[in-house]
Amino acid sequence: MVADTQGPSAAQLAQALVEFSLHGSFPEENVSSLPVKPDALPEAIKALADAKAKLQAEIHAINEETADDVRAWQTNAQSVQNDMIRSKALANEIIKTSEAPAVSGKDTHDAEAKAEFLVRELNYNAQVQEALRGIRTVNRTLDEVEKARDERRILDALHLLERSWKELDAIPVNKSCRAIKLLDIRAFELKTDVHGVFDHVWSTLINVDVEKRTVSISSSRKDEPMSLSDAVIGLQAYNEVDRRMAQLWANINAAILVPRMDIESDTLPSIHIQDNTLEAKGSTDKSVESLFVDLEKVFTFLVQTLPSDLVETISSTLLPGVIHRVTSVWLDSAVPSSLSDMGRFQQVIALAKSFCTALRKLGFTNLGDLQEWTESAPRVWLSKCREAALDAVRAKLSKGFGDPTQVEKIEKQMVSKSEGQQIAANGAAAVDDEEHGWGDAWGIGEDEAPGAPEGAPKAAEKKTAVKPVDDGDEDIADAWGWGDETAEEEKFLEETQKKTQIPDEDSSEAWGWGDDTNNNQPTTTAKATKSEPEIRELILKETYSISSMPQPVLDLIAAIVEDGEALTHDSYANSPVAAAAAGLFSVPTLALALFRAISPHYYAPKEGGNMFLYNDATWLSEKLADFATTWKTRQDISTRAQNMLRLDNDVKSLQGFANRAYTNELGLKKMMLRDRLGGEQNLLQLDDTESYVASAVSMVRSIALEWEPILARSVWQQAVGSLVDALASKIISDVMDLPSIGQEEAYNIAKHISSVEELDDMFLPSKLQGTKPKQGEIPLTSQFASSWLRLKYLSEVLQSNLRDVRYLWMEGELSLYFSAEEVLDLINASFEDNIRTREVVKEIKGNPHPRGE
């Protein structure tokens, strides 16, 4: 009862009065029933005053915000009121007129005009009223959208938004009207707000955690009024089905599929499904079978938890990428590169077909690549064989040369006696049959010299040519302006002349010809078959070096061909790759083409690399030719397999490739040698010509030393001889280009030539045959350097007087190596123009071919 006597507090009284004044609400009974005390009235009155002031401020703020609209509405309302007043006045006037109609036509016309005006005004007022009602309707609809948004009724909100836009379009007002613009802006903002709510609901129903590798999909949730099926409608309303699903599949791919399909990873997770959650966890093996089981789980989960409208997008977005990884990574890695493990390959094909069937049952399409893989096993396996073969060639070449290996080249030739002697002199390794020796068969004597170069002058002739008989009456040297040679010059001339003389020794002894008891023959044994007295079969044998690269390539080709031959057997008739037999026989061509394409890159850095490449390609071509020949005669393979092997073109290509490697290397070395000799400049007009010549000679020896352990003896002779010939040709050309040659310059040139002639020691028969040096050996340089004798005779001409030059031309063999025009040019450049010179010139011109060639 104490509470009844105390009455309400001042705060309670003030709150009750404010609530009643603002909202018309009565206080609770326990407050209204209490008596009011006088001391509470001031605070209550103050609270009412504060509420009034606050309300006035709000009204003022609203007035400020809507002042323009209110003024516009006031203006329109005033205009409507004025129109109504005018309309009422007109109506009264019409009534009066109707009660007392005027008889004049003017009055009638005015009355009709007024009536038409009133009709238009009434129509306008009706339109304004309809527009106002439409605006009110749209505004109320948008209020309902707000309410549905707040309650997360996304579909209702979208339907109401769609209705509001239809209602907005139905309002008979220009769209530029401010009221219409405001309604349109409000509708757009509400759509954005609803979309934000939709994103929240979507992420609640479908959640992908890439880091945790989980995917949760719920058809509905108790705390969300929208279901997953409703969400599809929302996606369609926002036209976001493709974009939203592409993002979903990308997230599922990153969270589940990529970790599971990363074959390079050390461990792979397995796929687990619990309730509505898909998770990649634990570990599994890297077999194709386990992969297909897990992928089937993933796609089954998606089909069972997602609406059908969303599942349809899997075939066009998620599935193609998965199938590409399956075929290009997993299935291709399971394809064997040979016939080994073919049983496992057949199991993989069966698993792939089973996986295709499972995906079709789930309703998926677009299985083209996987379906094609299962149906084209021969092509897939053949492609893997090609790829493996090419990778094997690359891998071997990338490992480098390895240790060089000495191999033998054996060649049989039918040769005549002179040809056999020439081969022997060149240092080729041959054998004499114990029963039929070359010397016995052809009667080669010890006093014969088979190694003498063709066209070389005989010793006696040479001595006469070099030192012709002096007639004693004339000193032809006067034409040079020279006096008698000094003893030093005579010695130099004699030493130069000796280099072209041929001793009477028989170089055939190096082969053991003519003397069966000769113990200095090569370590090889002799074999020859006597067919005719002057024609014999000669077996030539040479050794050269190859790298470790060509043997694996040969082994690879043999293995591939053997697999191709096996596929022609009945035991492989039911094999899925039986149809690939013919294609397998074409793989060696690809492997050899790759060898030719990339091998120069790996050989070039090696010292003597191009010559190794020449040897390797030559050896490989010969072995392939032997392999093909043997293949055609094998009795353990079918005729079909014999006819499938076609290596003839590959052998020819390898031979051409080897020759190009040889000529390219030789061309490069010649270019370097020419640069050592001054390049395009005249060597003899450069300062310190002697150092240029010495450098070039040193280079030739260095290259010869580099090539010697690599090339076969005959090839080495040709290659080094070509360099020597290039050196000789450059010097000859530069001498012939000189406008004049003085006595001292001639001797200097002869001295330079003499230093070049020291290269003769590389072509001694004993060196070429690998035997001990012999006294008086005749170098065979001219057989491998066509300009060598030209160079020697040029040296003699430069050191001879005019009479000696005439004798060399008329009686000697100078005309065999120089034309009349060249000799005349040398005479004009070397000798003074006097009577004797003109007589010799005339005589040479009259006998351009003194030896009758």
Side-chain angles (χ1 to χ4, degrees):
M1 293 300 181
V2 176
D4 294 340
T5 59
Q6 287 181 349
S9 64
Q12 289 178 323
L13 179 60
Q15 182 64 30
L17 291 175
V18 170
E19 292 292 332
F20 178 78
S21 300
L22 292 177
H23 306 294
S25 59
F26 289 91
E28 299 293 332
E29 184 177 355
N30 60 349
V31 178
S32 62
S33 61
L34 296 177
V36 178
K37 292 182 179 183
D39 55 355
L41 291 177
E43 186 173 348
I45 293 172
K46 183 178 181 301
L48 287 172
D50 291 342
K52 178 181 178 182
K54 182 178 179 181
L55 185 60
Q56 288 177 342
E58 291 178 355
I59 293 172
H60 180 72
I62 293 172
N63 287 337
E64 289 294 328
E65 293 176 356
T66 60
D68 294 338
D69 294 338
V70 170
R71 282 193 292 271
W73 280 103
Q74 286 178 345
T75 302
N76 292 335
Q78 184 64 44
S79 176
V80 170
Q81 186 177 7
N82 293 336
D83 291 341
M84 293 176 65
I85 293 173
R86 285 197 302 274
S87 299
K88 187 176 181 180
L90 287 173
N92 291 333
E93 186 175 351
I94 291 171
I95 293 173
K96 290 179 180 180
T97 303
S98 64
E99 293 176 351
V103 295
S104 64
K106 182 177 180 302
D107 294 336
T108 302
H109 179 73
D110 291 342
E112 290 176 351
K114 291 178 181 179
E116 291 177 358
F117 173 75
L118 289 175
V119 171
R120 289 196 300 272
E121 286 296 316
L122 290 173
N123 291 337
Y124 173 74
N125 290 335
Q127 291 177 355
V128 171
Q129 191 175 25
E130 183 180 358
L132 292 175
R133 282 196 297 267
I135 291 172
R136 182 181 62 184
T137 301
V138 172
N139 196 51
R140 288 176 178 175
T141 302
L142 294 179
D143 290 340
E144 294 180 19
V145 172
E146 287 184 348
K147 184 177 180 182
R149 176 202 63 190
D150 296 339
E151 296 174 357
R152 295 186 181 177
R153 293 184 288 109
I154 303 301
L155 289 184
D156 292 342
L158 292 175
H159 291 152
L160 290 170
L161 277 172
E162 185 177 0
R163 191 178 78 185
S164 69
W165 282 317
K166 291 181 179 178
E167 292 172 348
L168 199 60
D169 291 337
I171 297 176
V173 178
N174 191 290
K175 302 306 177 186
S176 61
C177 175
R178 180 176 174 78
I180 301 300
K181 287 183 178 180
L182 292 174
L183 290 174
D184 190 56
I185 293 172
R186 185 184 179 195
F188 180 78
E189 290 175 347
L190 285 173
K191 181 181 179 182
T192 303
D193 294 342
V194 172
H195 188 272
V197 176
F198 175 76
D199 285 342
H200 171 74
V201 176
W202 174 267
S203 61
T204 303
L205 296 174
I206 300 179
N207 179 260
V208 180
D209 192 325
V210 177
E211 293 184 358
K212 294 182 179 180
R213 297 179 179 177
T214 60
V215 176
S216 298
I217 301 177
S218 303
S219 59
S220 63
R221 292 178 63 94
K222 293 181 180 180
D223 56 345
E224 296 293 346
M226 186 180 72
S227 67
L228 194 55
S229 300
D230 295 337
V232 175
I233 300 175
L235 290 176
Q236 293 171 345
Y238 283 105
N239 197 25
E240 290 185 355
V241 175
D242 294 338
R243 184 186 69 80
R244 185 80 64 161
M245 296 316 298
Q247 182 62 45
L248 174 62
W249 303 140
N251 292 340
I252 292 176
N253 185 54
I256 303 296
L257 297 176
V258 170
R260 177 61 184 87
M261 301 180 71
D262 184 9
I263 198 171
E264 300 296 332
S265 178
D266 295 335
T267 59
L268 295 178
S270 60
I271 304 300
H272 298 271
I273 299 175
Q274 185 175 4
D275 297 332
N276 62 340
T277 301
L278 179 70
E279 185 175 6
K281 64 179 181 179
S283 63
T284 185
D285 56 46
K286 293 186 177 182
S287 66
V288 175
E289 183 176 5
S290 298
L291 176 69
F292 285 156
V293 170
D294 283 347
L295 290 180
E296 189 172 346
K297 287 181 182 179
V298 172
F299 289 112
T300 301
F301 172 80
L302 296 177
V303 169
Q304 292 176 349
T305 56
L306 290 175
S308 58
D309 291 342
L310 302 184
V311 173
E312 291 177 357
T313 63
I314 293 178
S315 295
S316 60
T317 54
L318 180 62
L319 197 57
V322 173
I323 288 179
H324 176 72
R325 285 200 296 272
V326 168
T327 55
S328 63
V329 179
W330 285 81
L331 293 181
D332 283 358
S333 64
V335 179
S337 58
S338 64
L339 288 180
S340 61
D341 205 15
M342 189 56 62
R344 176 58 184 163
F345 181 48
Q346 290 178 287
Q347 292 178 5
V348 171
I349 295 174
L351 289 172
K353 290 181 178 179
S354 177
F355 183 58
C356 280
T357 303
L359 290 179
R360 288 195 192 92
K361 289 181 179 179
L362 292 174
F364 295 117
T365 57
N366 200 17
L367 307 179
D369 289 347
L370 184 59
Q371 182 69 31
E372 182 182 356
W373 191 94
T374 60
E375 294 174 353
S376 56
R379 180 186 59 78
V380 172
W381 180 73
L382 184 58
S383 297
K384 185 59 176 284
C385 291
R386 290 170 180 162
E387 180 182 346
L390 299 181
D391 286 344
V393 173
R394 292 190 198 95
K396 184 55 190 174
L397 290 177
S398 65
K399 292 179 180 178
F401 272 70
D403 296 328
T405 304
Q406 288 283 324
V407 295
E408 287 187 346
K409 177 180 180 181
I410 299 176
E411 184 178 354
K412 296 181 180 180
Q413 293 182 7
M414 299 301 295
V415 297
S416 65
K417 172 183 175 181
S418 60
E419 290 171 339
Q421 292 173 335
Q422 190 68 34
I423 293 172
N426 290 350
V431 190
D432 194 0
D433 186 82
E434 294 179 358
E435 188 174 347
H436 303 285
W438 282 87
D440 292 338
W442 282 334
I444 303 174
E446 293 183 0
D447 57 348
E448 293 177 305
E454 183 178 351
K458 298 296 184 290
E461 294 176 355
K462 188 67 178 177
K463 292 175 182 178
T464 306
V466 173
K467 292 293 293 180
V469 178
D470 195 341
D471 58 13
D473 295 331
E474 295 184 28
D475 186 3
I476 308 300
D478 290 344
W480 282 77
W482 296 353
D484 295 334
E485 289 99 337
T486 64
E488 182 179 353
E489 291 172 341
E490 287 282 352
K491 181 179 180 181
F492 174 75
L493 183 59
E494 290 175 1
E495 289 176 352
T496 305
Q497 294 162 356
K498 288 180 182 178
K499 293 180 180 178
T500 58
Q501 296 177 5
I502 302 175
D504 294 332
E505 291 197 27
D506 184 6
S507 62
S508 65
E509 293 178 359
W511 278 70
W513 292 354
D515 185 2
D516 293 341
T517 61
N518 191 345
N519 295 324
N520 293 326
Q521 61 184 5
T523 56
T524 55
T525 57
K527 183 177 181 181
T529 305
K530 184 175 180 181
S531 57
E532 295 180 8
E534 296 297 328
I535 300 294
R536 303 284 303 280
E537 181 185 77
L538 179 66
I539 300 176
L540 303 176
K541 180 167 64 175
E542 290 184 299
T543 60
Y544 59 94
S545 297
I546 62 171
S547 71
S548 62
M549 294 186 183
Q551 183 65 55
V553 176
L554 180 64
D555 295 341
L556 173 67
I557 292 173
I560 292 172
V561 171
E562 290 293 344
D563 280 350
E565 187 276 330
L567 287 178
T568 63
H569 293 176
D570 294 339
S571 57
Y572 284 93
N574 297 324
S575 172
V577 299
L584 201 59
F585 277 92
S586 67
V587 175
T589 298
L590 298 178
L592 293 172
L594 181 65
F595 176 83
R596 296 194 302 271
I598 67 175
S599 57
H601 171 74
Y602 295 99
Y603 280 81
K606 173 75 174 177
E607 185 176 347
N610 281 330
M611 289 309 185
F612 266 111
L613 181 56
Y614 163 74
N615 283 352
D616 288 357
T618 300
W619 180 86
L620 188 56
S621 67
E622 292 173 351
K623 293 300 180 182
L624 287 174
D626 294 342
F627 179 81
T629 302
T630 304
W631 184 268
K632 299 295 184 182
T633 60
R634 282 177 57 176
Q635 301 297 321
D636 60 333
I637 60 176
S638 63
T639 304
R640 179 187 171 203
Q642 288 179 338
N643 295 332
M644 282 182 177
L645 182 65
R646 297 184 179 129
L647 294 177
D648 293 346
N649 290 334
D650 297 317
V651 169
K652 292 178 181 177
S653 297
L654 270 177
Q655 291 170 343
F657 175 70
N659 292 335
R660 286 194 299 275
Y662 173 85
T663 54
N664 290 342
E665 177 70 4
L666 202 56
L668 177 62
K669 291 296 191 286
K670 285 183 178 180
M671 182 177 67
M672 296 169 60
L673 182 63
R674 185 174 182 83
D675 291 340
R676 292 283 184 98
L677 294 171
E680 298 300 323
Q681 303 179 72
N682 192 307
L683 170 67
L684 304 173
Q685 294 178 339
L686 297 175
D687 295 335
D688 198 9
T689 301
E690 184 177 355
S691 65
Y692 281 95
V693 174
S695 175
V697 171
S698 175
M699 178 182 173
V700 172
R701 291 189 181 276
S702 175
I703 295 173
L705 188 64
E706 175 186 309
W707 288 348
E708 190 168 11
I710 302 174
L711 297 174
R713 177 56 59 182
S714 61
V715 179
W716 181 89
Q717 293 166 352
Q718 295 171 5
V720 177
S722 180
L723 295 180
V724 173
D725 186 69
L727 174 57
S729 297
K730 168 67 174 170
I731 294 177
I732 294 171
S733 174
D734 288 351
V735 171
M736 301 301 295
D737 288 341
L738 291 176
S740 62
I741 304 173
Q743 176 183 0
E744 183 178 357
E745 188 175 9
Y747 274 111
N748 287 335
I749 295 173
K751 186 177 180 181
H752 298 324
I753 293 175
S754 177
S755 64
V756 172
E757 289 175 343
E758 293 175 1
L759 293 174
D760 268 333
D761 61 7
M762 295 193 302
F763 296 92
L764 295 173
S766 59
K767 179 176 178 57
L768 300 180
Q769 297 167 4
T771 59
K772 293 181 179 180
K774 296 181 180 180
Q775 278 288 13
E777 285 185 285
I778 303 174
L780 305 177
T781 315
S782 60
Q783 295 185 21
F784 309 104
S786 59
S787 300
W788 194 245
L789 291 180
R790 258 173 75 86
L791 183 67
K792 287 180 176 290
Y793 270 95
L794 176 62
S795 177
E796 290 191 21
V797 170
L798 293 175
Q799 298 176 84
S800 300
N801 55 33
L802 191 59
R803 183 182 58 190
D804 293 342
V805 172
R806 175 194 173 282
Y807 185 85
L808 287 172
W809 180 261
M810 302 300 295
E811 305 297 334
E813 297 180 347
L814 181 62
S815 61
L816 296 177
Y817 305 104
F818 285 88
S819 66
E821 290 78 7
E822 291 174 326
V823 173
L824 292 177
D825 288 341
L826 285 173
I827 292 174
N828 291 330
S830 303
F831 296 96
E832 294 180 356
D833 184 13
N834 55 31
I835 296 175
R836 181 57 178 162
T837 301
R838 288 192 288 273
E839 288 178 357
V840 172
V841 168
K842 182 178 180 181
E843 189 173 1
I844 292 176
K845 285 183 178 180
N847 293 275
H849 304 290
R851 297 182 64 86
E853 358 2 277

